[in-house]
Structures are given as C-alpha cells and as structure tokens.
Amino acid sequence: CLDGTLPGYHLHPGSGSGANSWLVHLEGGGWCNTVRNCVYRKTTRRGSSKFMEKQLPFTGILSNKPEENPDFFNWNRVKIRYCDGASFNGAGQDEAAKLYFRGQQIWLAAIDELMSKGMKNADQALLSGCSAGGLASILHCDEFGSLFPKTTKVKCLSDAGMFLDAVDVSGGRALRNMFNGVVTLQDVKENLPSTCTSHLDPTSCFFPQNLVANIKTPLFLLNAAYDAWQVQESLAPRSADPQGTWSECKMNHERCNSSQIEFFQDFRNQMLEAVHTFSRSDQNGLFINSCFAHCQSERQDTWFASDSPLIGNKGVAESVGDWFFDRETIKAIDCAYPCDKTCHNLDFTR
C-alpha cells in the first residue's frame, strides 16, 4: 500500500454449481494526485492495510444469498482492497515522502494468488469494480481475459467507472487536472494500454472514453447518466465554484435550477456519445440509467431488491446476469431526467 504495508483481499469461497466460477471485485475510493494527499491517504484504509477492517459485509453483487444475488451468490467472490490511489495502476515510489506506488504490482500479486487458489481452473470469471475500481476493471480487463484459456467464459463489469473528460462549471477541466496529477506522480504511463498511448497522451488514456472501444474482452458498463461523484467532484468541485452557486444543487438534484439541470443534460449527452462506438459491439453490455447515483452493484437496494432501479422492466442484477450468461443482449439506456421514477437518487443533505 502507499505506506508500505501489505495489501489484502477478502474471499468468500464458492460452492455447488458455483464452485468453479470466480467474481473478482476491485474496491473503489478516489485517487491521490499530489504527494500531500497521498501522504494523508496513508493514514486511512485507502492507503494502508493497518486501517482496513478484517471482515467486510458482502452485499449486492458479492452477496451469498440467492434472494439478494440470483446469478453469482454461490461463486467464489473476492474483493481486492484498494490502497494504492491510482486505480491499481501505479508504479515507482517517492523516497522523501516514504510513498510506495505499487498499484500494478498489487493487482498482479492478488491475481497470481487467486490463480493459485483455484481461479486458474475457472469455468467462468467476471472482473468487476466500482468507481476508481470500475476504472481499474476497464484498465485491467484484457489483462484479466488473457489469463484464461479460450474455453473459459471471461467478462468484465465496470460500475460507475465511466469518468468523462468533461468541462466543469467554470469552463476548466477539474478531473483532467486531477488525473494528470495521478498519472504523472504514480508513473502510470507504462501500465496503460498501448492501443491508446500509441496515439494519445497518458492522461487521456486514463479516461475510459478513450479505452472502451478497443477492449477485446466483453465488457458491461453500468453507470448513472448523472453520476453523483462526477457531479460533485468533476463538474462542480469547489475549485470551479468558489462562490458556492452549485453547492445546494450538487448535494440534492431537487434543489437545482433549470440551467443547472441543462448542464447535467449536456453531461448525459457526452456520456452517451462516449459509449456510442462501444455499444455497437454485440458482446458488450450497457445499463445507463438517468439517476443521481454512484456504485449501483455493491448496494443491495440498487443491485437487487423489490424496489430496485429499472430500465424498462429490468433491474441491474437481472441485466448484468442476462448479459453475462448470454441470455439476452442488454443495451439499456434510460430516457433523460426526470422520466425515471425508480431511481435511488443520492441526497447528501440528510
């Protein structure tokens, strides 16, 4: 991890018909883009295994109950903890600050260990992740696919990982600036897909919109069109909104005025544009709902519950399952806000 402690993962072994199937889920939790905030991160579970819980509740896609997770409940389910601050992709170190950037090595070591625990004999395998972990599952998708023989069914799921290189409310690019810091500080360049770095700068190749169309392994993008994290940290971060004009709106979308909603509609259009080429491939899947949400596969209420979000008449878990098992082609894109009454919108004012 960033502080030099050993990384870790949580494993719940599969049973019965799922004994030979593996779900590897990459934890999310933002990034660190400066020495200062990486040093701060060392004092948390996001940068040191000293502060990690020894046990975690497995909910949503990680649940072991068929009534909570119908398709994957009896698989071997793994959550790889996130403590490198660069979406499992960094390299190198900063001697002076005693920082270790070992994201790529953590990924390789964890996968290597899981392979030795039986994953190499998997009949089917799914790499998933949420937020920064959702980005990581895109970055590592083909690497994961290449580990298995052609006979293994291997796919990837990115939940809330579709971070856009969008213009913020001040006309700047807050997220691009942040990603540039991550990529530069943690020497991410060498681990990025060469299909992208051959013609774009490394920071652009940390953005999924420049990666997804070239991924060979089947990939499912699960994302809220008005991703709550991106609304707060990428579109209207404090740096871009010093007067606080957006502070009410970004905490609860019901407090937004019409021009603010218009700004979000434009962001949704960019999201749809970014997945356009990707969505034309039969092997890929999409579930983009018009909600102010973030990470819908980990929470039970959004993954699979009696009132879970729907597009048409199908929820997240059923859509992902239908796509993984080739029961149906899933290209679900919601109509624009405010048409969806099934959303579990996040309200940060409570």
Side-chain angles (χ1 to χ4, degrees), residues 9 13 93 165 188 208 242 263 324 344:
Y9 62 87
Q93 60 199 56
D165 189 3
V188 167
F263 190 85
F324 185 87
H344 291 205

Short mmCIF file of all heavy atoms in Angstrom, two decimals, residues 9 13 93 165 188 208 242 263 324 344:
data_model
loop_
_atom_site.label_atom_id
_atom_site.label_comp_id
_atom_site.label_asym_id
_atom_site.label_seq_id
_atom_site.Cartn_x
_atom_site.Cartn_y
_atom_site.Cartn_z
N TYR A 9 -7.02 -8.79 0.47
CA TYR A 9 -8.31 -9.03 -0.19
C TYR A 9 -9.18 -9.85 0.75
O TYR A 9 -8.71 -10.44 1.72
CB TYR A 9 -8.12 -9.75 -1.53
CG TYR A 9 -7.50 -11.13 -1.44
CD1 TYR A 9 -8.30 -12.26 -1.22
CD2 TYR A 9 -6.12 -11.31 -1.56
CE1 TYR A 9 -7.73 -13.53 -1.12
CE2 TYR A 9 -5.54 -12.57 -1.46
CZ TYR A 9 -6.35 -13.67 -1.24
OH TYR A 9 -5.79 -14.93 -1.14
N PRO A 13 -15.47 -18.34 -0.38
CA PRO A 13 -15.38 -19.42 -1.36
C PRO A 13 -16.75 -19.80 -1.92
O PRO A 13 -17.78 -19.68 -1.25
CB PRO A 13 -14.80 -20.59 -0.56
CG PRO A 13 -14.26 -20.00 0.69
CD PRO A 13 -15.05 -18.76 0.96
N GLN A 93 8.07 4.96 -6.61
CA GLN A 93 7.93 5.41 -5.22
C GLN A 93 8.46 6.82 -5.06
O GLN A 93 9.10 7.35 -5.96
CB GLN A 93 8.65 4.46 -4.27
CG GLN A 93 10.14 4.31 -4.51
CD GLN A 93 10.66 3.03 -3.84
OE1 GLN A 93 10.16 1.95 -4.11
NE2 GLN A 93 11.65 3.17 -2.97
N ASP A 165 -13.99 13.05 -19.50
CA ASP A 165 -13.09 14.19 -19.62
C ASP A 165 -13.95 15.41 -19.96
O ASP A 165 -13.93 15.91 -21.08
CB ASP A 165 -12.07 13.90 -20.72
CG ASP A 165 -10.95 14.92 -20.77
OD1 ASP A 165 -10.94 15.82 -19.91
OD2 ASP A 165 -10.11 14.81 -21.68
N VAL A 188 2.01 6.17 -14.07
CA VAL A 188 1.00 5.22 -14.56
C VAL A 188 1.23 4.88 -16.04
O VAL A 188 0.83 3.81 -16.52
CB VAL A 188 -0.42 5.83 -14.34
CG1 VAL A 188 -1.48 5.07 -15.11
CG2 VAL A 188 -0.74 5.86 -12.85
N PRO A 208 -11.76 6.42 -19.51
CA PRO A 208 -12.38 5.25 -20.16
C PRO A 208 -12.90 5.52 -21.57
O PRO A 208 -12.92 4.63 -22.40
CB PRO A 208 -13.53 4.89 -19.23
CG PRO A 208 -13.20 5.50 -17.93
CD PRO A 208 -12.35 6.68 -18.20
N PRO A 242 -16.12 28.71 -6.64
CA PRO A 242 -15.71 29.34 -5.37
C PRO A 242 -16.86 30.08 -4.67
O PRO A 242 -16.86 30.19 -3.45
CB PRO A 242 -14.59 30.31 -5.79
CG PRO A 242 -14.72 30.46 -7.27
CD PRO A 242 -15.35 29.21 -7.79
N PHE A 263 -27.21 21.80 -17.74
CA PHE A 263 -25.78 21.44 -17.72
C PHE A 263 -25.62 19.93 -17.54
O PHE A 263 -24.79 19.28 -18.19
CB PHE A 263 -25.09 22.20 -16.58
CG PHE A 263 -23.58 22.11 -16.61
CD1 PHE A 263 -22.83 22.98 -17.39
CD2 PHE A 263 -22.91 21.16 -15.85
CE1 PHE A 263 -21.44 22.89 -17.42
CE2 PHE A 263 -21.53 21.06 -15.87
CZ PHE A 263 -20.79 21.94 -16.67
N PHE A 324 -24.18 -11.57 -18.91
CA PHE A 324 -23.05 -12.47 -18.65
C PHE A 324 -23.32 -13.87 -19.21
O PHE A 324 -22.46 -14.48 -19.84
CB PHE A 324 -22.71 -12.58 -17.16
CG PHE A 324 -21.48 -13.41 -16.93
CD1 PHE A 324 -20.22 -12.83 -16.95
CD2 PHE A 324 -21.55 -14.80 -16.75
CE1 PHE A 324 -19.06 -13.60 -16.80
CE2 PHE A 324 -20.41 -15.57 -16.60
CZ PHE A 324 -19.16 -14.97 -16.63
N HIS A 344 -32.81 5.44 -7.15
CA HIS A 344 -32.47 5.67 -5.75
C HIS A 344 -31.46 6.81 -5.76
O HIS A 344 -30.24 6.58 -5.70
CB HIS A 344 -31.88 4.41 -5.12
CG HIS A 344 -32.87 3.30 -4.95
ND1 HIS A 344 -32.75 2.31 -4.00
CD2 HIS A 344 -34.04 3.03 -5.61
CE1 HIS A 344 -33.78 1.48 -4.09
NE2 HIS A 344 -34.56 1.89 -5.06
#
